[in-house]
Amino acid sequence: MPSVLTEQQIKQFHRDGYAFPIPVMGADEANVLRKQLEEVERRQGGKLDPTQRSKSHLLFKWLDDLIRDPRILDPVEQLIGSNILCWNTIFWIKEAGSESFVSWHQDTRYWGLSSNKVVSVWLALSPASRESGCMRVLPGTHVGGVLPHEDRYQESNMLTRGQEISDGIDEADAVYMPLKVGEMSLHSYRLAHASGPNTSSDRRIGVSMHFMPPETQQIVGEWDSAALVRGVDPFENFERTPVPCGDFDEAAVAFHRKASEAIRQVLYADAARNTGKL
Ligand SMILES: O=C(O)CCC(=O)C(=O)O
C-alpha cells in the first residue's frame, strides 16, 4: 500500500500544518496490532499503566518496528529530510462512551524541543470518527508564535496538566481529521489541535509517533533520548534508544524507565502538580 505524499499534500502540510488521511496498512494488519496491545492490557487488568503510554516503542516490539516502517517514514522524509529521529511514541486511548478529551494545545509549548520541524504521525488502530472523538486542527496555527496556554487540570482531559490555549481559538475554523483503521494523519507539533469525547460504542485507539531532524536539541531537560530511525545523526544531541529484542525486553524496559521519566520532567516542568497521566 503506497503512502507517499502527493505534491498537494506536501504543500498543504507546509501551508496548513497537517495532511490526512494517508493509508498505511489494511484494517487486518492494524487489527493485529490492536490485539497485541489489548492482550497486554488484559494481562494487566484492563489498562496500560500511565507510564507505559509514552516512549512505548521501548516496550512494544511492534511499535519499534512501526517507527522504522517505510510506509510511515517515506512521507515523514518528504517533510523533514532523510535523517530522522523518533523522539516519542504515545498511546491515545478513549474508552467507548468515555468523556476523555484533549483540549486545544500546541505541543511545541511543552516538549522542550528546539526545532520547528517536528512532525507528529497519528495512526488509527480503531475507527477515529467525529463520534469517537477524532482529532481536530486549526489550519495555519503552526506558523507564527506559540499561543498563550493555561493549565486547567480537568479530570477527563488526557493532557498531563489540562493545558489549554486560553486565547485565539475560533472553533468555526477547525477541521476534523477522521481516520479509518490503518490510516494516519500528519501534523506539525506547532499546530493547535484538540479532540472531543468518545460517544461511540468502540474504543478509540490511536498511537502517535513524533519525528524530528537530528539537529534538534532538548532545551528544557538535561538529558533526553531518541531512536535513530533513518539516515545518520551527526549531532548526537539525544542518547540513542536501544532496539528491543521483543515485547518488554529487559534492557529496553530499564531504558524506558529512565527515558519516560526524562520526558515527564520536561512535560511537568513549571507545572503546579504532577497528575500522573503519563
Ligand atoms: O489523540 C488525540 O486526541 C490527541 C493526540 C495529540 O494531541 C497528538 O498526537 O499530539
Side-chain angles (χ1 to χ4, degrees):
M1 192 179 292
S3 58
V4 176
L5 302 179
T6 62
E7 279 307 312
Q8 201 191 337
Q9 285 171 318
I10 296 172
K11 221 160 128 187
Q12 185 191 19
F13 182 89
H14 292 303
R15 186 192 58 220
D16 299 333
Y18 66 94
F20 83 100
I22 323 272
V24 177
M25 60 181 71
D28 288 355
E29 191 180 341
N31 282 333
V32 171
L33 305 184
R34 174 177 179 169
K35 280 210 177 84
Q36 292 183 69
L37 166 68
E38 290 186 330
E39 175 54 24
V40 171
E41 290 179 309
R42 195 192 56 75
R43 283 206 306 265
Q44 298 186 164
K47 273 186 180 199
L48 289 186
D49 185 88
T51 60
Q52 297 171 324
R53 278 189 58 216
S54 73
K55 289 273 184 188
S56 313
H57 57 285
L58 286 160
L59 306 177
F60 294 85
K61 173 69 180 151
W62 60 265
L63 187 48
D64 186 79
D65 292 341
L66 212 52
I67 62 175
R68 299 165 201 281
D69 192 316
R71 294 173 296 181
I72 288 181
L73 288 183
D74 289 350
V76 171
E77 175 170 343
Q78 288 178 286
L79 302 174
I80 66 170
S82 56
N83 296 324
I84 307 176
L85 296 178
C86 178
W87 177 62
N88 201 5
T89 45
I90 308 177
F91 283 110
W92 298 93
I93 301 174
K94 294 178 184 171
E95 298 303 332
S98 89
E99 309 253 288
S100 297
F101 73 100
V102 171
S103 49
W104 286 105
H105 68 287
Q106 291 166 298
D107 291 311
T108 184
R109 165 69 183 78
Y110 294 93
W111 289 0
L113 300 175
S114 63
S115 177
N116 282 344
K117 287 169 77 178
V118 181
V119 170
S120 292
V121 164
W122 198 100
L123 176 72
L125 298 185
S126 72
S129 58
R130 285 188 186 211
E131 195 190 7
S132 70
C134 67
M135 256 198 290
R136 281 185 298 164
V137 293
L138 272 175
T141 45
H142 64 306
V143 288
V146 179
L147 296 163
H149 287 65
E150 271 175 28
D151 295 347
R152 298 201 165 133
Y153 294 103
Q154 306 101 320
E155 192 53 37
S156 303
N157 194 333
M158 297 180 83
L159 300 179
T160 47
R161 40 166 112 184
Q163 58 266 39
E164 183 160 15
I165 296 172
S166 46
D167 200 14
I169 296 295
D170 185 352
E171 297 230 0
D173 296 333
V175 173
Y176 284 88
M177 294 207 293
L179 296 172
K180 297 198 188 88
V181 178
E183 290 180 340
M184 70 177 178
S185 58
L186 297 159
H187 67 273
S188 158
Y189 88 138
R190 296 172 62 83
L191 190 71
H193 56 289
S195 68
N198 179 3
T199 58
S200 81
S201 56
D202 192 4
R203 311 175 81 199
R204 194 218 64 165
I205 306 175
V207 59
S208 63
M209 300 161 236
H210 307 281
F211 297 99
M212 59 193 184
E215 61 268 26
T216 309
Q217 293 175 5
Q218 172 52 258
I219 52 179
V220 171
E222 280 176 15
W223 175 91
D224 205 347
S225 64
L228 177 61
V229 291
R230 182 167 279 184
V232 293
D233 173 9
F235 300 93
E236 299 187 354
N237 293 329
F238 293 79
E239 185 163 334
R240 186 98 47 99
T241 56
V243 178
C245 296
D247 284 355
F248 296 92
D249 165 83
E250 206 178 310
V253 168
F255 195 95
H256 175 264
R257 223 168 279 130
K258 183 177 175 193
S260 62
E261 179 52 32
I263 294 249
R264 278 188 289 282
Q265 299 273 336
V266 170
L267 295 182
Y268 285 107
D270 77 16
R273 60 192 165 90
N274 180 330
T275 57
K277 287 186 179 170
L278 211 66

